[in-house]
Amino acid sequence: MPRSLILAMILTFFVAFSASAQSQESSAPAPSTSQDSSTPGEAKKPKKAGTNENISGANGTVSVVGDPKNKPKPALSKPLDTQYIAAVRKQLDMLQAQIADIDKQLVDLKNFNEGKPSTSTSGMKLNKSYEREPIEVQMRALQARKKDLESKVDALLDEARKKGVESGQLR
């Protein structure tokens, strides 16, 4: 019994509180400002927000984002220099060939470190000499060189893009 009695009291308290809060909101007078009291004869018109339904009845002009008079003029597309494109393409091919060569060297060093045979066809490298550096140091140097070459490729592509060359034209 005591639980149901407490629950009933709490429920009536909330109902009474919400009803009194609603009546205070509806009967509360609007605060007056000094400007309103100085011009009692003139009543301020509330500003109306335009909606899609009342646009047809609006008098005057309707503001739309953008001005048709101030449209940006399309940039004149000048013909791209084919010699420049060919030169950039040649540089990219050269850099990518160097990156591929470094990848092969890295695979050879990794295989040698693991005791596997070389990936070169003959297995004999006449133009190679004995290296005193550990394999890990050689691999780090090759990876740093590869990263440098990749940054050069990215810089070359960015420069070409800024000059208006699309990436599809360089392939």
Side-chain angles (χ1 to χ4, degrees):
M1 281 298 238
R3 283 187 187 170
S4 61
L5 182 64
I6 292 174
L7 183 61
M9 286 179 23
I10 291 175
L11 185 61
T12 53
F13 174 73
F14 281 126
V15 169
F17 180 71
S18 65
S20 67
Q22 287 178 354
S23 66
Q24 286 178 357
E25 287 177 4
S26 63
S27 65
S32 63
T33 61
S34 61
Q35 291 177 353
D36 288 341
S37 61
S38 64
T39 57
E42 295 180 24
K44 286 189 173 181
K45 287 185 177 180
K47 292 186 178 181
K48 291 186 178 180
T51 61
N52 288 340
E53 288 80 29
N54 62 4
I55 278 238
S56 61
N59 51 355
T61 60
V62 177
S63 174
V64 179
V65 177
D67 190 8
K69 296 176 186 174
N70 296 332
K71 284 185 180 177
K73 295 180 181 177
L76 298 175
S77 60
K78 58 182 180 179
L80 296 174
D81 187 15
T82 56
Q83 291 177 345
Y84 175 74
I85 293 173
V88 170
R89 192 178 300 146
K90 184 178 178 182
Q91 289 176 351
L92 284 173
D93 290 342
M94 183 184 65
L95 290 172
Q96 289 172 347
Q98 289 177 357
I99 291 172
D101 186 43
I102 288 176
D103 285 338
K104 289 178 185 176
Q105 290 175 8
L106 284 170
V107 168
D108 282 342
L109 286 174
K110 183 179 175 187
N111 288 343
F112 179 77
N113 195 24
E114 293 173 354
K116 296 179 182 176
S118 176
T119 58
S120 62
T121 56
S122 66
M124 190 174 195
K125 297 179 183 177
L126 299 176
N127 62 349
K128 299 293 179 181
S129 62
Y130 179 74
E131 294 286 335
R132 289 186 164 193
E133 294 179 339
I135 293 176
E136 291 82 19
V137 174
Q138 292 178 31
M139 289 177 72
R140 274 189 259 132
L142 285 173
Q143 288 170 345
R145 188 167 167 223
K146 180 181 175 182
K147 188 178 283 187
D148 182 48
L149 289 172
E150 287 172 344
S151 67
K152 286 181 182 179
V153 167
D154 290 340
L156 192 62
L157 288 173
D158 284 343
E159 179 185 340
R161 180 185 48 84
K162 288 178 184 176
K163 290 189 178 184
V165 178
E166 295 179 12
S167 62
Q169 295 173 329
L170 297 174
R171 294 182 184 165

